[in-house]
Amino acid sequence: MEHQAPLYDVLNYLPDGIVMVDERGVILFANDAFSEMVGFRSSILLGLNMLSLLADIDVFQKCIEKVMREGKSLDAETNFIHSNGTIIQAVKSVRMIRHNDYVRFFVNVRNQTDLNRLNKELRTSKELIELQAHELSSLLNSKNQELEEILSSIDEVIWYIDNQTLSLRYVNRAVEKVFGFERDNFLSDHTLWQQQIYIDDRNLVQMFFETLLPGQSQEIRFRILHHEGEIRWLSSRIYHHPSLHLFIGITSDITAPKAQSEKIAFLAYHDPLTHLPNRAKLKLQLESRFEHSSTSPFALMFLDLDNFKNINDTMGHKIGDSILIEVSNRLRESVGKYDFCARFGGDEFVILLEDADTLSVDAMAQRLIQTFKKAFRVNEMDFYLSSSIGIVLYPYDASDVEDLIKHADTAMYEAKNKGKNQFVYYHTSMQRALHDYLHIEALIRDGLSQNLFELYFQPLIDTKTLQLEGYEALLRLPHPKEGFIAPDIFISVAESNGDILVIGQEVLKQACDFIETVRKLYDEPFFVAINVSSKQLHQELFANELLEYLHQRFIPTSFIKVELTESAVMENIEIAERQLRLLQQGGVRIALDDFGTGYSSFSYLAQLPIDTLKIDKSFILPLFESSSNRHIVEAISNLAHVLGMKVTAEGVEESSHYNFLMEKNIDTLQGFYLCRPLPKGKILKNLEDKVPYFTPIFPLGYTI
Ligand code: C2E
Ligand code: CA
Ligand code: CA
């Protein structure tokens, strides 16, 4: 069986010492961690009495007596004597098991050097020792089936995955409780565990695996989405096995400790009448999203029943309660597994939706309105209800919990004022129109037919020389009233209706015009980076046509760089690879944009002819809000350099970002701190007047 070796290995890689003794204290087994802790080789330890290693024999004997008397595991602090005579403070848990006729004690010893860590981990020590006890007892038999059975009874998730593909090779049954899926689902779909990682934590997890060196073990905490849609916190200790090419891990669900005990949590966080999550749970759910800086967009709906007060007043609370229960059931059903529904107060409900695009949000709001069409039947009587819904979109309408709810409530009142039984978005009417697909589509058409699209250029600075390296071309679509429409909005519409192909040609043309003009004013080499969307990349002739166009215009290919997002490349790796090779052979350099936000496999990336990784601004902007962002930036930088690629950081807005990135060996910087995107005319004027784009400040504090 495939999993035989690593399961036995678990005992030796565990950071805790594990010892098995008989009732007199004679050591029958000791793992590597224990040998190391006390400074004796395990061959010497076997047969030795445990008492001879203890500085405080009494404590141990009392502990054993108590365990024998009460039959459960026990924690105690104790001092061991190291072979070099020093005293080691440790904490141990002792557990007794009966094996056939004889009694064995399993002792789990943990070095107490790091008190903080200890306090955190103490609460899991009972489970841990149970796990270790079972494993040891199975060692006595050393039969796989038993081992498998024992592993099934352990509460912690034990697993291992391939260190290259991260595909799952083994997991015990405990996974079912933590994830809510059958274990077989994980064994047949080897990437299911990755799909269930909460979207905002995927980078963290991936970075963790990329940087955990063979032979090392480390702990990581991250969130997953339970089968029923609930976010759960897990803590995993993971070991990178050097010769088996596996990551081996033990994972526990720490959601409950985070919210005290589950029972208290349920009472504290659920509404006793409808069993829906309550207002406190809603806040917790929202806050846990905000704990990570790069929260993905979502929608929040505030739903209020119309005229419910009348029913309560005329028919009494009992009937009112029955109706509320039925309303909750219908809402729960409409909202489905992946979204979240809470009872906010009397007849108010709040729903969180993962899909924040207007089409999905509209569809859900319609569905909710529809669920009220059917009569509510209580005591043989039919009641007809309707609801009014207010909707806010994160991050467009609000950026914190209070404002989200406040604005959704405002929108809900607007829905009431407009005649109830409908939904209303929080936006002002202009903002709402801007999010409207058809409206944007029309603006794009106008933009194309009237040549309104205009490229802006944002300088990129080489950190070694502090000179200009090139420009990123960023597209602007002017709007008659709103100034500009953000490219993030119109590009996604153009991608979905195919207009992006025409837009892409326009971008290339304007970029080439710009290169031609700038070359006349500026002798040094530079490049213009153009953004290419996935739809363009997947056109059969994309690379050839681009090279051909540059050739026609007599522009050397080194003047163009192509920026592709990680997800565009990973969408179809074979097509992407073919196009990238053609571009590279033609001399066009390639940058991987928004790096860190997708979910790419480094083993693929290493094979692709990528020149530069562009760390996404969502890591740079909140660089000093969480240390994990700084670690990710450093890890990407190291990784890129190992792979022979360069690194660019975008979104450099502050001097603190600048100083940090200069220090961390980032090759190129881009951001408002250095220079905003400028129209062509302004760039040319600066070049003519020899005005620098920016006045960079050396990290030491003087300007050049
Ligand atoms: P991107 O490729 O990641 O472009 C960088 C974005 O970051 C630009 O936003 C730029 O203005 C902005 N930025 C630069 N420095 C800073 C900074 O210090 N702080 C902050 N907060 N932002 C900074 P922009 O111009 O709104 O473009 C948004 C996205 O639209 C681009 O993201 C790109 O994905 C897409 N896009 C823009 N132009 C084109 C284009 O010609 N073709 C295609 N396919 N996509 C484009
Ligand atoms: Ca870009
Ligand atoms: Ca980017």
Side-chain angles (χ1 to χ4, degrees):
M1 265 175 120
E2 230 181 2
H3 54 261
Q4 183 179 4
L7 288 182
Y8 285 107
D9 244 58
V10 164
L11 296 169
N12 275 330
Y13 89 71
L14 277 175
D16 291 356
I18 303 159
V19 196
M20 178 174 72
V21 299
D22 66 13
E23 66 272 33
R24 291 163 300 149
V26 175
I27 297 178
L28 304 174
F29 174 86
N31 73 345
D32 289 354
F34 185 77
S35 304
E36 204 179 306
M37 204 181 296
V38 294
F40 291 106
R41 281 213 307 273
S42 61
S43 54
I44 296 178
L45 287 172
L46 296 186
L48 212 68
N49 196 305
M50 176 94 155
L51 299 179
S52 66
L53 298 169
L54 288 166
D56 38 14
I57 297 172
D58 277 4
V59 178
F60 183 69
Q61 274 179 335
K62 281 201 186 108
C63 193
I64 295 263
E65 280 163 19
K66 198 153 183 232
V67 169
M68 284 190 83
R69 219 174 32 244
E70 297 176 8
K72 47 183 187 190
S73 71
L74 212 74
D75 295 339
E77 279 185 30
T78 191
N79 292 338
F80 283 90
I81 309 167
H82 191 271
S83 64
N84 65 14
T86 53
I87 300 282
I88 310 141
Q89 285 196 329
V91 68
K92 60 180 166 37
S93 312
V94 180
R95 184 184 156 86
M96 176 180 74
I97 67 154
R98 288 185 191 279
H99 198 87
N100 300 334
D101 301 337
Y102 45 87
V103 172
R104 296 283 180 262
F105 294 93
F106 292 95
V107 187
N108 175 34
V109 189
R110 189 167 294 181
N111 207 329
Q112 209 181 356
T113 41
D114 181 350
L115 259 172
N116 281 337
R117 178 178 145 254
L118 177 81
N119 283 337
K120 262 194 256 153
E121 293 183 353
L122 204 61
R123 60 184 159 68
T124 56
S125 72
K126 198 171 147 280
E127 286 103 312
L128 210 60
I129 192 153
E130 240 158 44
L131 171 156
Q132 290 151 358
H134 279 304
E135 275 166 17
L136 279 174
S137 78
S138 78
L139 265 183
L140 294 172
N141 302 315
S142 67
K143 281 188 203 140
N144 275 324
Q145 228 179 353
E146 276 179 14
L147 198 60
E148 180 64 47
E149 235 170 68
I150 287 161
L151 284 169
S152 301
S153 66
I154 295 170
D155 281 349
E156 321 235 20
V157 187
I158 298 184
W159 49 268
Y160 52 89
I161 58 176
D162 187 290
N163 72 350
Q164 291 296 312
T165 61
L166 301 189
S167 70
L168 185 80
R169 302 265 294 277
Y170 171 82
V171 67
N172 68 345
R173 204 162 280 287
V175 73
E176 299 188 341
K177 200 161 157 226
V178 176
F179 282 76
F181 286 91
E182 302 266 311
R183 178 192 187 211
D184 286 348
N185 294 145
F186 288 97
L187 297 176
S188 58
D189 179 354
H190 301 285
T191 63
L192 178 61
W193 72 272
Q194 296 177 27
Q195 297 159 31
Q196 291 310 114
I197 296 174
Y198 187 59
I199 189 148
D200 288 345
D201 290 352
R202 288 185 183 172
N203 290 311
L204 187 79
V205 174
Q206 196 189 353
M207 285 299 157
F208 179 89
F209 284 118
E210 295 298 339
T211 49
L212 185 62
L213 298 174
Q216 274 187 354
S217 103
Q218 252 181 49
E219 195 184 310
I220 177 176
R221 287 170 180 220
F222 59 97
R223 289 166 293 180
I224 56 141
L225 218 52
H226 185 267
H227 189 233
E228 278 162 11
E230 191 192 339
I231 294 173
R232 293 206 175 171
W233 277 95
L234 303 188
S235 162
S236 295
R237 181 175 292 283
I238 300 172
Y239 173 67
H240 190 165
H241 198 295
S243 54
L244 295 169
H245 305 296
L246 295 172
F247 290 113
I248 308 174
I250 298 190
T251 297
S252 40
D253 186 339
I254 55 164
T255 321
K258 269 193 165 252
Q260 300 305 325
S261 90
E262 247 178 48
K263 196 165 176 211
I264 297 169
F266 189 87
L267 291 175
Y269 294 122
H270 289 80
D271 163 40
L273 177 69
T274 62
H275 295 291
L276 280 179
N278 62 8
R279 187 191 290 224
K281 175 83 182 185
L282 170 75
K283 288 212 162 148
L284 209 68
Q285 186 83 2
L286 284 168
E287 273 154 14
S288 105
R289 279 167 193 266
F290 290 123
E291 248 176 58
H292 262 229
S293 41
S294 58
T295 302
S296 26
F298 64 92
L300 184 148
M301 294 182 168
F302 199 105
L303 184 150
D304 189 287
L305 303 182
D306 298 328
N307 305 328
F308 181 71
K309 199 171 165 296
N310 289 350
I311 297 184
N312 244 353
D313 291 349
T314 55
M315 307 304 296
H317 284 275
K318 235 177 163 167
I319 290 194
D321 282 356
S322 306
I323 291 181
L324 283 175
I325 291 171
E326 178 56 20
V327 167
S328 306
N329 291 341
R330 289 192 196 177
L331 291 181
R332 215 186 326 246
E333 214 167 89
S334 318
V335 163
K337 274 183 194 149
Y338 291 101
D339 299 315
F340 179 87
C341 176
R343 181 171 176 210
F344 193 73
D347 60 348
E348 298 164 336
F349 299 85
V350 168
I351 293 138
L352 295 183
L353 296 183
E354 296 295 332
D355 286 329
D357 64 290
T358 21
L359 290 180
S360 331
V361 179
D362 275 9
M364 174 60 83
Q366 289 289 6
R367 193 151 77 228
L368 292 172
I369 297 278
Q370 286 302 323
T371 55
F372 288 89
K373 289 275 179 292
K374 214 178 102 202
F376 290 80
R377 201 168 175 78
V378 181
N379 292 352
E380 310 288 305
M381 278 181 289
D382 279 344
F383 295 91
Y384 289 91
L385 262 78
S386 63
S387 66
S388 298
I389 303 176
I391 305 172
V392 284
L393 301 177
Y394 174 88
Y396 310 106
D397 299 329
S399 56
D400 63 40
V401 177
E402 262 79 55
D403 281 355
L404 277 169
I405 293 176
K406 200 170 82 198
H407 294 168
D409 192 46
T410 309
M412 186 275 292
Y413 273 105
E414 204 186 320
K416 294 250 186 217
N417 287 337
K418 283 178 142 181
K420 303 180 179 162
N421 193 23
Q422 57 187 292
F423 61 90
V424 163
Y425 283 90
Y426 173 69
H427 306 288
T428 61
S429 53
M430 177 51 82
Q431 278 172 316
R432 209 173 310 151
L434 284 177
H435 284 277
D436 185 73
Y437 187 93
L438 295 176
H439 181 66
I440 291 167
E441 210 172 23
L443 290 171
I444 292 174
R445 292 273 148 85
D446 290 350
L448 284 172
S449 63
Q450 299 167 33
N451 285 330
L452 298 178
F453 280 103
E454 183 190 349
L455 279 187
Y456 271 47
F457 298 91
Q458 186 177 27
L460 277 79
I461 305 304
D462 180 339
T463 54
K464 302 280 172 320
T465 62
L466 292 180
Q467 296 298 311
L468 175 100
E469 210 177 272
Y471 305 86
E472 176 171 6
L474 294 160
L475 197 54
R476 299 290 176 258
L477 174 57
H479 183 275
K481 293 202 198 91
E482 286 287 292
F484 289 100
I485 305 171
D488 287 325
I489 294 178
F490 70 74
I491 294 284
S492 63
V493 173
E495 269 184 337
S496 70
N497 73 2
D499 281 350
I500 192 71
L501 299 178
V502 191
I503 292 178
Q505 284 167 0
E506 176 64 23
V507 166
L508 182 60
K509 180 190 162 291
Q510 287 193 27
C512 288
D513 294 347
F514 178 78
I515 294 168
E516 266 175 4
T517 325
V518 170
R519 283 183 77 188
K520 291 188 192 128
L521 296 166
Y522 183 78
D523 280 342
E524 306 292 327
F526 69 96
F527 61 78
V528 170
I530 53 172
N531 290 287
V532 167
S533 84
S534 146
K535 201 151 210 156
Q536 292 170 272
L537 182 70
H538 291 96
Q539 295 294 303
E540 180 75 31
L541 293 175
F542 168 72
N544 284 329
E545 281 178 0
L546 189 143
L547 294 170
E548 175 57 29
Y549 184 78
L550 295 178
H551 182 69
Q552 270 173 26
R553 296 202 47 170
F554 304 106
I555 292 180
T557 49
S558 63
F559 280 88
I560 286 283
K561 200 161 172 177
V562 163
E563 291 197 1
L564 293 161
T565 60
E566 207 184 346
S567 45
V569 172
M570 298 313 293
E571 200 176 297
N572 187 329
I573 189 98
E574 275 159 35
I575 297 183
E577 183 167 2
R578 203 165 58 233
Q579 301 281 15
L580 296 194
R581 292 242 174 268
L582 286 170
L583 290 176
Q584 181 207 31
Q585 283 155 12
V588 171
R589 278 168 293 171
I590 295 143
L592 210 55
D593 206 354
D594 300 351
F595 189 74
T597 59
Y599 202 33
S600 49
S601 150
F602 285 103
S603 47
Y604 281 128
L605 286 187
Q607 293 166 22
L608 295 173
I610 290 163
D611 179 76
T612 308
L613 296 185
K614 243 183 131 169
I615 307 176
D616 190 57
K617 55 180 176 294
S618 63
F619 297 106
I620 309 294
L621 292 171
L623 199 57
F624 290 96
E625 279 164 34
S626 90
S627 62
S628 75
N629 286 325
R630 296 194 293 279
H631 290 149
I632 288 174
V633 168
E634 270 196 86
I636 296 180
S637 167
N638 293 339
L639 198 94
H641 292 140
V642 168
L643 295 175
M645 299 172 184
K646 294 191 138 200
V647 202
T648 299
E650 60 176 20
V652 183
E653 277 193 1
E654 311 277 345
S655 61
S656 58
H657 300 157
Y658 176 83
N659 292 340
F660 177 84
L661 297 164
M662 289 288 277
E663 210 173 89
K664 293 299 171 196
N665 223 1
I666 305 296
D667 303 291
T668 310
L669 303 184
Q670 174 184 6
F672 297 168
Y673 178 70
L674 299 155
C675 187
R676 287 187 175 258
L678 300 173
K680 178 179 171 183
K682 178 86 178 138
I683 300 252
L684 297 180
K685 175 123 188 19
N686 283 352
L687 283 175
E688 272 162 12
D689 299 348
K690 304 219 178 316
V691 175
Y693 302 108
F694 67 104
T695 35
I697 297 163
F698 277 114
L700 287 177
Y702 43 84
T703 52
I704 55 166

